[in-house]
Amino acid sequence: MPLPDPNIESVKSRLERAQLAGHIYQHNQHLLVLQEPWAEDGTILNNFVQHELSADQIGLQFGLRLSGNQCDFLIGVTHSNQDRCYEIGAGNLKADQKAFNLLYAFYNYPKAFYLVSLPLSANSAQLTDAIETQLFSQPSLDFLNTAIKTNPMGQQVNWMKTFIVQQALEMKIRIQTCLY
């Protein structure tokens, strides 16, 4: 579905009026990133999730890439842990990845950065599939498969994956709502 007004300034203005984030960063003429995203109730969005056994952390950021009158939803994902053998510096990000701040929490610095991209008009099944193929299939993120909790109905739930998909889906819907 094409954007009603594909002008980046107009898109940025609509995102700001919808109060989706503390700041909308314009990286260039085609890329916007939500810095300090807010939840629907105006509180700061929890954009970190940590595995309770391995201390691996995932940080999420959201953005938009405009191309003509089409728009892609972007999910910037940082992975950090306590292994100090390799840490990403801001200078190591390439191309559009540079628009995303390297998120970190506590004492962990990012070890990897992943960028998931899909059309903003994608439905929830397509979003889940894009995250599964572009992110969850990464061998370095295998720890996500061990983050399992039992829900109140007694079912085993892969809670970290569920958290990532749910946060991405909610933000994508909120962005769509303010733009269309």
Side-chain angles (χ1 to χ4, degrees):
M1 169 181 347
L3 281 174
D5 183 0
N7 177 303
I8 195 159
E9 288 82 15
S10 173
V11 170
K12 182 178 179 186
S13 176
R14 291 175 86 169
L15 293 172
E16 288 170 340
R17 279 195 311 272
Q19 298 181 343
L20 298 179
H23 178 70
I24 310 294
Y25 170 65
Q26 182 176 337
H27 180 63
N28 52 35
Q29 289 304 311
H30 70 277
L31 186 59
L32 298 170
V33 177
L34 283 69
Q35 304 290 333
E36 301 168 12
W38 294 338
E40 282 191 78
D41 65 2
T43 61
I44 294 175
L45 182 73
N46 178 13
N47 57 349
F48 287 103
V49 63
Q50 181 171 325
H51 194 292
E52 66 266 353
L53 301 176
S54 69
D56 283 281
Q57 292 179 346
I58 296 291
L60 303 172
Q61 280 188 289
F62 306 102
L64 295 174
R65 180 184 300 124
L66 283 70
S67 178
N69 65 347
Q70 298 298 316
C71 187
D72 285 340
F73 177 64
L74 305 175
I75 308 166
V77 181
T78 56
H79 170 220
S80 61
N81 58 34
Q82 296 177 4
D83 181 2
R84 296 199 174 274
C85 69
Y86 178 71
E87 294 175 352
I88 295 178
N92 291 333
L93 297 178
K94 307 294 183 231
D96 286 346
Q97 291 179 344
K98 291 180 181 182
F100 292 84
N101 286 340
L102 285 173
L103 295 174
Y104 63 92
F106 311 113
Y107 47 82
N108 294 334
Y109 290 89
K111 306 298 190 288
F113 180 84
Y114 306 95
L115 191 59
V116 177
S117 177
L118 64 146
L120 182 61
S121 60
N123 63 34
S124 60
Q126 292 167 321
L127 174 116
T128 301
D129 184 58
I131 292 172
E132 186 68 43
T133 57
Q134 296 178 43
L135 184 65
F136 296 159
S137 65
Q138 300 291 330
S140 61
L141 298 178
D142 282 345
F143 69 90
L144 292 171
N145 296 319
T146 65
I148 297 172
K149 289 185 179 180
T150 303
N151 70 14
M153 295 178 291
Q155 300 166 320
Q156 297 288 306
V157 177
N158 199 309
W159 70 273
M160 284 183 80
K161 286 182 175 182
T162 300
F163 175 88
I164 292 166
V165 170
Q166 189 62 40
Q167 292 295 69
L169 180 60
E170 287 178 17
M171 187 56 76
K172 186 180 88 54
I173 289 170
R174 291 179 62 213
I175 290 170
Q176 280 178 305
T177 301
C178 82
L179 294 180
Y180 293 101

